[in-house]
Amino acid sequence: MLKTVLPPSVIVVETTGDTPVDTLWPDETHDIASAPVERQLEFATVRHCAREGLQRLGLPPAAILRDRFGAPLWPSGVVGSMTHCRGFRAAAVAHAGDITALGIDAQPVKALPPGVFARISGPGEQELVTQLKTDEPGIVWDTLLFSAKESLYKAWYHLTGTGLGFLDVDFHLHTDGRLDFTFLRPVPDIVSSAQWQGGWSVDSGLVLTAIWATPSGS
Ligand SMILES: CC(C)(COP(=O)(O)OP(=O)(O)OC[C@H]1O[C@@H](n2cnc3c(N)ncnc32)[C@H](O)[C@@H]1OP(=O)(O)O)[C@@H](O)C(=O)NCCC(=O)NCCS
């Protein structure tokens, strides 16, 4: 499902089932040992997906540990992202020479809780989503915008190691499945020099988004 919105250089592994928690590598287990079972299962399953992705890239399996903010630490030369929600888990990985940053996100097809859309969107985005709701009422555009921002956050964090505010970016959601955006704050060279793209899909009750950056000139 996410594969349809990402370039062929990105390997996507998705599942609707869960992998046993004992498939975690020992160092990964330490990270999650005291969490509720559901959390352990999603944590184990996305890592299982990620290792399958590494294998398809022709790379050896590896532990996917986390930094102090919870972001995945990928093997050298790999760029990746993971997402999970009820009934769906996915990992996407690519060679760092092809893709410099990557974020994926999945959300259930349902409207955001009251007040959330106003908090995560700027005036231009609110105007756009109002129009899109009229033009294409079958899509949960507010949730799609939220998901796009989650995907961008993951890609941004991978490149910068810093956070990004919801109002630091202005998204344009296209009805043909593309996502564009403009940063509304100064960004480091590593961000401005990359070529950014994004895509979305709605499938099997899920809103799926991906944002990725390729090296400039590629
Ligand atoms: C970190 C965050 C993006 C995770 O998204 P989520 O929708 O809550 O959860 P998902 O299931 O989609 O993704 C969870 C996975 O994201 C990854 N992740 C966590 N923190 C991350 C970070 N800082 N950077 C990249 N990936 C991260 C992890 O792999 C995590 O799964 P795991 O803990 O099982 O390994 C979210 O919690 C968050 O902080 N959002 C607010 C920031 C934001 O979106 N700002 C707006 C930017 S325009």
Side-chain angles (χ1 to χ4, degrees):
M1 299 194 284
L2 270 162
K3 187 175 172 44
T4 60
V5 305
L6 280 157
S9 55
V10 179
I11 303 292
V12 181
V13 181
E14 300 169 330
T15 180
T16 55
D18 273 327
T19 306
V21 173
D22 64 10
T23 57
L24 284 171
W25 286 29
D27 287 350
E28 295 170 340
T29 309
H30 293 154
D31 250 11
I32 203 79
S34 58
V37 172
E38 174 67 14
R39 173 70 182 119
Q40 293 191 22
L41 285 169
E42 67 182 21
F43 187 88
T45 304
V46 280
R47 278 160 179 75
H48 186 76
C49 292
R51 276 188 271 280
E52 189 178 326
L54 292 177
Q55 188 184 15
R56 289 198 212 163
L57 279 178
L59 299 171
I64 316 288
L65 304 181
R66 301 188 298 168
D67 76 2
R68 65 199 169 104
F69 297 113
L73 296 167
W74 297 98
S76 175
V78 173
V79 167
S81 182
M82 298 185 282
T83 186
H84 31 63
C85 63
R86 184 178 288 271
F88 181 75
R89 285 85 169 86
V93 291
H95 291 289
D98 297 326
I99 300 287
T100 51
L102 173 61
I104 61 170
D105 186 73
Q107 303 287 334
V109 170
K110 64 177 185 195
L112 294 174
V116 173
F117 180 64
R119 194 166 53 79
I120 63 120
S121 57
E125 293 169 332
Q126 290 170 10
E127 201 175 309
L128 173 68
V129 166
T130 301
Q131 185 62 46
L132 287 167
K133 281 179 169 173
T134 304
D135 296 347
E136 294 228 13
I139 305 291
V140 281
W141 292 104
D142 57 344
T143 303
L144 204 159
L145 178 68
F146 175 74
S147 177
K149 292 194 175 195
E150 296 284 79
S151 284
L152 176 58
Y153 182 87
K154 292 175 184 177
W156 163 279
Y157 184 87
H158 177 83
L159 271 187
T160 67
T162 65
L164 181 69
F166 283 108
L167 304 184
D168 286 340
V169 62
D170 179 49
F171 260 96
H172 198 91
L173 315 175
H174 297 274
T175 54
D176 63 3
R178 286 176 302 117
L179 297 169
D180 285 332
F181 58 88
T182 308
F183 289 109
L184 301 177
R185 53 165 277 184
V187 299
D189 288 349
I190 195 166
V191 172
S192 59
S193 63
Q195 294 181 353
W196 291 88
Q197 292 178 71
W200 65 269
S201 168
V202 175
D203 194 353
S204 305
L206 296 171
V207 173
L208 303 159
T209 62
I211 300 287
W212 64 97
T214 50
S216 97
S218 65

